[in-house]
Amino acid sequence: MGTGHFFWVIFYFASLCSASLANNAKINFREKEKKVLDQILGAGKYDARIRPSGLNGTDGPAIVRINLFVRSIMTISDIKMEYSVQLTFREQWTDERLKFDDIQGRLKYLTLTEANRVWMPDLFFSNEKEGHFHNIIMPNVYIRIFPNGSVLYSIRISLTLACPMNLKLYPLDRQICSLRMASYGWTTNDLVFLWKEGDPVQVVKNLHLPRFTLEKFLTDYCNSKTNTGEYSCLKVDLLFKREFSYYLIQIYIPCCMLVIVSWVSFWLDQGAVPARVSLGVTTLLTMATQTSGINASLPPVSYTKAIDVWTGVCLTFVFGALLEFALVNYASRSGSNKANMHKENMKKKRRDLEQASIDAASDLLDTDSNATFAMLRQCEVHMQAPKRPNCCKTWLSKFPTRQCSRSKRIDVISRITFPLVFALFNLVYWSTYLFRDEEDE
């Protein structure tokens, strides 16, 4: 009889276990989620207009933690001083009114796609110019409610943000573009934004930008005080370094080549006026076109940029080469005119001397023959004396005069002076802008 009683007890417990397993197998967790949502968000049970309580249910401000995932950075515009970014934006806070039973850990979280069903922080991007949500194929947004009342809000957005730039060192500059997030209506007495602990900002790997490199990013707080109170604010500073290789190939090397080409006129003959003028004018116009093209891609700022110094000095060198030829041409023509005038004066003096000798000889014809003969001999000596240097001058006239050598001397000096001064300028320019401290930048 005892053995039979024991058998029936085991059979009873086995039946209970099998029935419990059968009931669990029939549980529809999606139906349970619906019931839980109706229970915590039903009419008259939850008011999305009321903010959550503070930490540990106190009356302090609601704490909202933020983290970002930067998916891509599309463009960085120097003219408009803005940049475009696509990111996944996440907020997380605790609302104790949304606590629910997780059915022994089987309901990990509830998912919503309607943000207006729960209270949402009134965050906005203070330096935003344009922005839009992504709705293909479905709206890229979700809300997760965890059993302890924690709420996670995630959305994918694209933003065009203002980025004030200092272009004094352009194109050897670094720029800091910020992303600012602040509360619009809730003061710090009611709402406080904090960065999520650990890794609040993530950036996609292999982020490629056409003309910039993202060196690093920093997170910080930027609370602001106004007449209506103090508002919580967060910011991310993105430090971009401009890629210099593009500008070296497109701007600096072509400008150097134009300056060097303008020096070719120093080796051309002084008489090749069309060639030297054409070379100087062509290089000057090309340099002016290059400068205007550079300025067209930049905003009209009131200060001098590094690229302005470079193009301005290069333009000055090209213009100086053209002025050098004008000086050489003037010296050459002035020398030839003076040589002609000197030759004419010598001829005139020789004619005057000959005429004076003839007149003196005619006046002495009435005197005695001896005196006349002596005077004629003396006149012959005086008349023959100035003929000696004339022969030398005739021989020396085959060589360039002093004025002609002066114009050539200008070309020779320019061949040495222009390259040396340009090399000195390059030394000062690159040492000034390349080795400047980051604090000065």
Side-chain angles (χ1 to χ4, degrees), residues 212-229:
F212 289 89
T213 299
L214 179 61
E215 286 192 330
K216 59 182 178 180
F217 52 89
L218 302 173
T219 58
D220 201 357
Y221 295 89
C222 54
N223 291 6
S224 60
K225 292 184 179 180
T226 66
N227 294 333
T228 56

Side-chain angles (χ1 to χ4, degrees), residues 82-139:
E82 64 184 21
Y83 72 104
S84 299
V85 61
Q86 183 186 126
L87 50 87
T88 298
F89 173 75
R90 304 185 186 99
E91 296 176 303
Q92 193 163 8
W93 67 94
T94 299
D95 192 342
E96 295 187 354
R97 297 172 295 176
L98 299 177
K99 289 183 177 180
F100 62 90
D101 182 14
D102 61 353
I103 312 177
Q104 299 178 356
R106 295 175 182 174
L107 280 180
K108 294 183 179 180
Y109 54 82
L110 304 174
T111 302
L112 293 177
T113 57
E114 299 175 357
N116 58 355
R117 296 288 302 274
V118 298
W119 176 86
M120 293 290 298
D122 60 342
L123 181 141
F124 77 106
F125 297 93
S126 58
N127 61 330
E128 175 233 342
K129 287 186 174 181
E130 296 179 359
H132 67 273
F133 302 118
H134 292 265
N135 297 317
I136 300 175
I137 299 178
M138 293 292 292

Side-chain angles (χ1 to χ4, degrees), residues 170 193 269 282 344 350:
Y170 176 93
F193 291 120
D269 186 72
T282 302
E344 291 294 332
R350 187 167 59 252

Side-chain angles (χ1 to χ4, degrees), residues 323-341:
L323 290 182
E324 188 270 350
F325 169 67
L327 181 61
V328 168
N329 190 28
Y330 173 77
S332 177
R333 288 187 294 103
S334 176
S336 62
N337 291 336
K338 288 184 178 180
N340 293 333
M341 292 176 63

Side-chain angles (χ1 to χ4, degrees), residues 265-328:
S265 64
F266 303 154
W267 276 265
L268 296 179
D269 186 72
Q270 300 173 7
V273 176
R276 296 187 70 164
V277 171
S278 300
L279 181 63
V281 172
T282 302
T283 53
L284 183 63
L285 292 177
T286 306
M287 191 67 215
T289 304
Q290 180 87 344
T291 303
S292 62
I294 295 170
N295 293 329
S297 62
L298 294 173
V301 294
S302 59
Y303 48 82
T304 302
K305 304 179 289 293
I307 195 66
D308 295 335
V309 176
W310 175 264
T311 55
V313 172
C314 290
L315 190 62
T316 302
F317 271 93
V318 174
F319 184 67
L322 185 60
L323 290 182
E324 188 270 350
F325 169 67
L327 181 61
V328 168

Side-chain angles (χ1 to χ4, degrees), residues 17 19 53 68 131-132 163 186 259 269 287 320 344 347-348 411:
C17 291
S53 301
L68 305 172
H132 67 273
C163 179
W186 299 98
V259 173
D269 186 72
M287 191 67 215
E344 291 294 332
K347 289 181 179 180
K348 185 177 180 181
D411 270 343

Side-chain angles (χ1 to χ4, degrees), residues 13-57:
F13 278 106
S15 300
L16 290 177
C17 291
S18 62
S20 177
L21 291 173
N23 291 332
N24 289 337
K26 295 179 180 179
I27 293 177
N28 188 340
F29 287 100
R30 305 289 79 77
E31 186 67 25
K32 286 289 184 181
E33 287 184 10
K34 178 181 179 303
K35 290 182 179 180
V36 172
L37 286 173
D38 292 339
Q39 184 180 7
I40 61 177
L41 297 177
K45 296 184 179 180
Y46 183 88
D47 194 341
R49 298 173 298 176
I50 308 300
R51 72 168 179 86
S53 301
L55 191 63
N56 297 325

